[in-house]
Amino acid sequence: MLLTLACIQYCSLVSAETNTNTMIFDHTFKSLKIHIEGNEFSPAIIDLYGKDRITVAFDQLVPDVNYLRYALVHCDADWKPSQILDSEYIEGFNEDEIDNYSLSSATFTQFVHYELNVPNEDMRLTLSGNYLLKVYPEGEPENVCLQARFSVVDKKVKVYPEITSRTDVDYNSQHQQISVAIDNRDYRIENPYADLKVVVVQNSRYDIAKMVSHPQRVAGDKIYFEHNPELIFKAGNEFRRFEMVNTRYNGIGIEKYIYNNPFYHVVLKTDEPRSYESYIYDRTQYGKYVIRQSDAYDSNTEADYMYVHFALAMPEIQEGSVYVDGEFTQHNFEPGNLMKYNHNTQCYELDMRLKQGVYNYQYLWKPKNQNKYITETIEGDFYQTINEYQVFVYTRQRTDRYDRLIGYNIIYSGK
């Protein structure tokens, strides 16, 4: 089904205020990417006093430029808006226009590509913590079209995470367990048992992020979070991947291209469940994707949009749903990435309009009446899986009115 330029916005003030996930509310917007400037595979976190900047990039599938603006919201460790004023976390103005845009070139789909970087000359960040960037039409701040999460760390403590597959629930089987040691010799924490929050995020999936606030022990200048059942994660499996970078040849995971005027369709090779197979290593990017057209001078404007057809061959599973997941879905679970079962082909199927590039993805199962999305049913859980774990350390002491992000580190299982 083709999208039209008259696609109706369904974003609203209520949804934007109550949902702080990285998310697209207006489906004329596509290909939302958040990363450190110059590194498209990096997690979106920068040092408060460093030179790095956050890049937010996206397209709008319209033929001409719309004047867009953005603003920032400071958030607590659990991504709820902080109860502080804009002037406390921003030097300058907490609103600016997005003036870096370009029109698509020689593509079947017309679109406008937008990019912005923060901090910048007009908007300087003065506090550590979590930030939510909201994009909206000029003069309509209540009509949020998309929003993106990023974090800013003021490194006051050293963070030493460790990971093991010899967990407190099984031994080299289906889980991976994280332990965290915090060295606070250069930063006084008055009450480590009450003033700290440690958040661990696997492969940028905040739906399975874990927060712990009570260390197991404190010894001198070290604070230890260890043997904590909350820091045990399902190991999952390596992400699947496909590459649609040129229609002259089939890239990884591509069965065929079909041109159906006026768009290309990309038929992926039919997938099968991997939960009962042996683990096979594959070097992936932990669920991320990158826009790329192999012949383009500028893939941002020359990579085209195509209809990608996913198929997962397996018997229909009752009492639940199957979703396609990856950075390109913002790790949200919406109608746009919900698969439907085709009894004729005996496959779960989904069509998505995606921009040419290299993609990681996986299939997640949602049991009926449960708000969780699991790998075990289709992908399997293997202790050998290489996962990316981000570890955030927040503090809020007696005189603070917001959660400071005082430490950060990243660790990879199996490395």
Side-chain angles (χ1 to χ4, degrees):
M1 183 176 64
L2 301 182
L3 296 176
T4 68
L5 298 180
C7 179
I8 299 174
Q9 295 182 350
Y10 65 89
C11 52
S12 69
L13 178 61
V14 174
S15 63
E17 286 182 344
T18 58
N19 186 334
T20 60
N21 292 334
T22 293
M23 197 165 194
I24 295 174
F25 296 101
D26 175 354
H27 281 187
T28 63
F29 289 81
K30 297 286 186 182
S31 302
L32 175 59
K33 287 280 292 179
I34 314 98
H35 53 83
I36 294 176
E37 184 180 18
N39 185 353
E40 292 187 82
F41 292 115
S42 64
I45 180 168
I46 57 173
D47 193 313
L48 180 62
Y49 300 108
K51 295 182 179 180
D52 286 335
R53 300 195 296 174
I54 293 293
T55 293
V56 178
F58 56 89
D59 297 337
Q60 187 179 16
L61 274 57
V62 293
D64 205 354
V65 175
N66 286 318
Y67 294 103
L68 302 174
R69 301 186 73 84
Y70 68 96
L72 299 180
V73 178
H74 192 278
C75 295
D76 293 337
D78 57 359
W79 289 97
K80 295 178 181 177
S82 304
Q83 300 304 307
I84 57 177
L85 300 175
D86 294 7
S87 58
E88 296 182 76
Y89 58 87
I90 288 179
E91 182 182 321
F93 298 97
N94 189 14
E95 185 185 41
D96 202 2
E97 64 179 337
I98 304 177
D99 56 9
N100 183 4
Y101 50 80
S102 49
L103 299 178
S104 57
S105 175
T107 57
F108 290 104
T109 299
Q110 291 182 303
F111 61 88
V112 182
H113 178 74
Y114 295 87
E115 284 193 18
L116 63 96
N117 293 307
V118 288
N120 52 55
E121 292 182 356
D122 299 318
M123 190 178 291
R124 292 170 294 278
L125 309 180
T126 59
L127 296 183
S128 67
N130 294 332
Y131 285 83
L132 186 69
L133 184 147
K134 297 188 175 189
V135 173
Y136 49 86
E138 186 173 32
E140 302 177 47
E142 75 285 353
N143 191 15
V144 178
C145 300
L146 62 86
Q147 59 192 24
R149 290 178 171 184
F150 68 92
S151 298
V152 178
V153 60
D154 181 6
K155 293 181 179 178
K156 300 293 188 183
V157 301
K158 294 181 173 64
V159 182
Y160 300 103
E162 293 185 354
I163 188 166
T164 182
S165 57
R166 300 173 179 89
T167 75
D168 293 341
V169 296
D170 56 22
Y171 186 93
N172 287 350
S173 183
Q174 294 182 315
H175 295 84
Q176 296 168 348
Q177 185 162 355
I178 308 295
S179 60
V180 180
I182 300 170
D183 185 337
N184 70 314
R185 70 184 63 189
D186 298 322
Y187 184 77
R188 176 175 170 77
I189 298 175
E190 294 180 3
N191 185 353
Y193 293 96
D195 297 341
L196 286 176
K197 295 177 183 176
V198 174
V199 175
V200 181
V201 183
Q202 182 196 68
N203 298 329
S204 300
R205 281 187 59 191
Y206 275 90
D207 64 297
I208 55 172
K210 306 292 183 66
M211 177 186 290
V212 293
S213 57
H214 191 84
Q216 272 57 49
R217 61 190 175 98
V218 177
D221 295 325
K222 293 287 185 69
I223 304 167
Y224 295 92
F225 292 81
E226 55 192 3
H227 295 291
N228 191 318
E230 290 298 315
L231 295 183
I232 299 175
F233 290 80
K234 286 283 193 176
N237 203 341
E238 305 296 342
F239 280 84
R240 304 171 192 255
R241 57 196 175 109
F242 67 90
E243 298 182 0
M244 52 171 189
V245 298
N246 198 306
T247 56
R248 296 197 305 271
Y249 56 86
N250 296 337
I252 294 173
I254 305 297
E255 179 68 34
K256 59 184 176 180
Y257 290 95
I258 300 173
Y259 179 70
N260 187 0
N261 190 25
F263 301 113
Y264 272 99
H265 292 249
V266 183
V267 180
L268 301 185
K269 293 181 179 178
T270 300
D271 288 315
E272 295 182 354
R274 301 185 293 174
S275 54
Y276 296 105
E277 298 179 357
S278 299
Y279 169 80
I280 299 176
Y281 168 75
D282 187 18
R283 184 176 181 179
T284 65
Q285 288 75 43
Y286 319 109
K288 298 180 177 65
Y289 77 102
V290 62
I291 298 302
R292 181 169 173 250
Q293 209 279 14
S294 60
D295 294 333
Y297 174 77
D298 181 2
S299 290
N300 289 324
T301 56
E302 297 175 50
D304 210 342
Y305 279 86
M306 301 181 178
Y307 286 93
V308 178
H309 301 268
F310 295 85
L312 173 64
M314 61 182 294
E316 184 177 15
I317 310 175
Q318 302 298 325
E319 302 299 316
S321 306
V322 177
Y323 288 83
V324 175
D325 171 69
E327 183 194 23
F328 63 98
T329 72
Q330 294 85 52
H331 298 293
N332 293 314
F333 303 96
E334 303 290 326
N337 57 317
L338 171 64
M339 306 191 81
K340 295 185 178 180
Y341 195 74
N342 184 330
H343 291 277
N344 294 326
T345 62
Q346 294 188 324
C347 290
Y348 282 94
E349 297 176 349
L350 175 67
D351 302 337
M352 297 188 74
R353 197 175 188 181
L354 300 174
K355 197 174 183 180
Q356 285 179 282
V358 179
Y359 287 78
N360 283 191
Y361 69 102
Q362 63 181 348
Y363 296 108
L364 298 181
W365 168 251
K366 179 185 182 299
K368 187 175 181 180
N369 299 323
Q370 296 186 43
N371 190 29
K372 62 180 182 179
Y373 304 85
I374 60 179
T375 49
E376 179 180 4
T377 307
I378 299 171
E379 302 293 2
D381 290 303
F382 301 93
Y383 74 92
Q384 304 99 317
T385 303
I386 298 179
N387 291 308
E388 178 185 81
Y389 291 92
Q390 294 174 262
V391 182
F392 302 81
V393 178
Y394 302 87
T395 186
R396 181 184 293 207
Q397 303 189 56
R398 286 186 301 171
T399 58
D400 289 337
R401 296 168 40 243
Y402 69 98
D403 290 335
R404 302 172 185 263
L405 179 53
I406 59 170
Y408 172 81
N409 207 340
I410 192 167
I411 189 172
Y412 297 89
S413 57
K415 289 188 176 182

